[in-house]
Amino acid sequence: MMAAAADGLGSLAIDTTQLNMSVTDPTAWATAMNNLGMVPVGLPGQQLVSDSICVPGFDPGLNIMTGITPINPMIPGLGLVPPPPTEVAVVKEIIHCKSCTLFPQNPNLPPPSTRERPPGCKTVFVGGLPENATEEIIQEVFEQCGDITAIRKSKKNFCHIRFAEEFMVDKAIYLSGYRMRLGSSTDKKDSGRLHVDFAQARDDFYEWECKQRMRAREERHRRKLEEDRLRPPSPPPIMHYSEHEAALLAEKLKDDSKFSEAITVLLSWIERGEVNRRSANQFYSMVQSANSHVRRLMNEKATHEQEMEEAKENFKNALTGILTQFEQIVAVFNASTRQKAWDHFSKAQRKNIDIWRKHSEELRNAQSEQLMGIRREEEMEMSDDENCDSPTKKMRVDESALAAQAYALKEENDSLRWQLDAYRNEVELLKQEKEQLFRTEENLTKDQQVQFLQQTMQGMQQQLLTIQEELNNKKSELEQAKEEQSHTQALLKVLQEQLKGTKELVETNGHSHEDTNEINVLTVALVNQDRENNIEKRSQGLKSEKEALLIGIISTFLHVHPFGANIEYLWSYMQQLDSKISANEIEMLLMRLPRMFKQEFTGVGATLEKRWKLCAFEGIKTT
């Protein structure tokens, strides 16, 4: 199998009809070889075996065959010659030399076998030589395969031939199986069948080992250069401590540009143990100069924070300006979609205007949501910074929270109104298209779209009404809280004046301690009566039968829960009876009846919970 690969003719295949000519005619033989594109053999000064019959893709400079998977020649049982393709029939020809003729073997016989190729093989074993073959005849036959460095002929019919390069061995293996005949003699001593095989020589193996070591050295050198190139640079060396170096380091610590370099040197000196009684004062001064940079760093941080706040403010102002321009653009689109101007546009122009309007509304809504998020973050930061303990400050915080909530509801109301206008414009457009077109399947789908838009518009209107009611309720609560605050302040002033008057009467008339206690009891009773009057003012009467029914259901529910229930739990229960009721409506109803329901806070910190309890029976007991 291995010899058949060596004597392959590449991609050349010879037709069997060309083998019928007489091989004894040299002119016919030369014509046939020229037709095949090969150099005629047996001519003086010509090459015996062409490069094309060797293993294709062999590069003598690389000493390995290209196009084949690289293998390790040191592994036994592996050869460097690939097996021949089974579908291509290799045909050998007669080779003529000056002193001998080489006849190929029968193509029906199996190809001659070869042993494993040793690593770096340059020597071949040639057996089956004729007894009368001399060293000159052997050199004449095999020197055309390549440069021969040595021929060692035995007394028997074999010899060893060493070539200059490894690829020449493959050309010599091609001659394995040929029958060699000296001249035209028919004597047995003048003929023999050649057997060419790989031979293992110490010189070849030594040269191969030297090449492998050289390649390993080159690879190690290349890897070392690559590692040196990729290795990170080493840190700069730190000088040893001395008084002169310490004085220079103290000057560097005072310089802002050289501070980071100098502080690393100072740290390494302290870790090395350079601090002693003699050098303690110098190190103390250097540590003190390092401490002086803390103020500089804090100032830099403050300036950066100020720049960040200014950038935030500029961004918010720019965003507000962009939002106002978006509002103006949307107003232009809404004005152009009204019937006065809309009828004068063509159908394509209306379509483009409608697309532009929707796109600008989406961008406007996104910008408004971003601006609302920035304002909420600012309000949260302000609420985190304000830590007040007095009741007047708490009232102010509640007022600001209510005002912020009212402002947020107002902005949400405006955005809903804008969306409602957009839906109305879409409904008008659909109506106009409905009047112009006939009743087809497309019209039916448009009617469904109109109905869906009408339903969504009704839902938006209901949502808008509820938000307006919540806004009015919040405003009324804010006004009531202001009235109560002003009333309590007036009462405090009156009570203070009364106390001053009673003290003066006691001092002048000399009343006893019991009289002063009676006066205090009277003032406390007046304050309590005033509070009850305020509570009665706040607790308004029931407006409808539905509110009375709700109060009865809530009272029954809270009576079953003596420890109270939060507003979400109560709303989830009430929603099963009436799906349209909201949690805000239930809470407003409970706040209007303080003698029946009271609000308590349970828990601490994150577990703080607000619960409502039924206090109607307690009021009956006290009365």
Side-chain angles (χ1 to χ4, degrees), residues 7 59 61 70 86 90 164 214 240 242 263 331 345 347 360 363 412 419 456 469 497 504 523 553 565 590 615:
D7 54 18
D59 188 359
T86 56
V90 179
M214 183 179 67
H240 293 284
S242 64
I263 200 73
F345 293 115
K347 192 172 182 179
S360 60
L363 293 174
E412 189 175 358
Q419 292 179 7
T456 53
E469 288 179 1
E497 290 176 357
E504 290 175 358
T523 55
I553 295 169
L590 294 173
C615 62

Side-chain angles (χ1 to χ4, degrees), residues 177 215 337 428 453 471 475 514:
R215 289 174 184 171
T337 53
E428 289 177 0
L453 289 172
L471 184 61
K475 287 181 179 179
E514 295 177 356

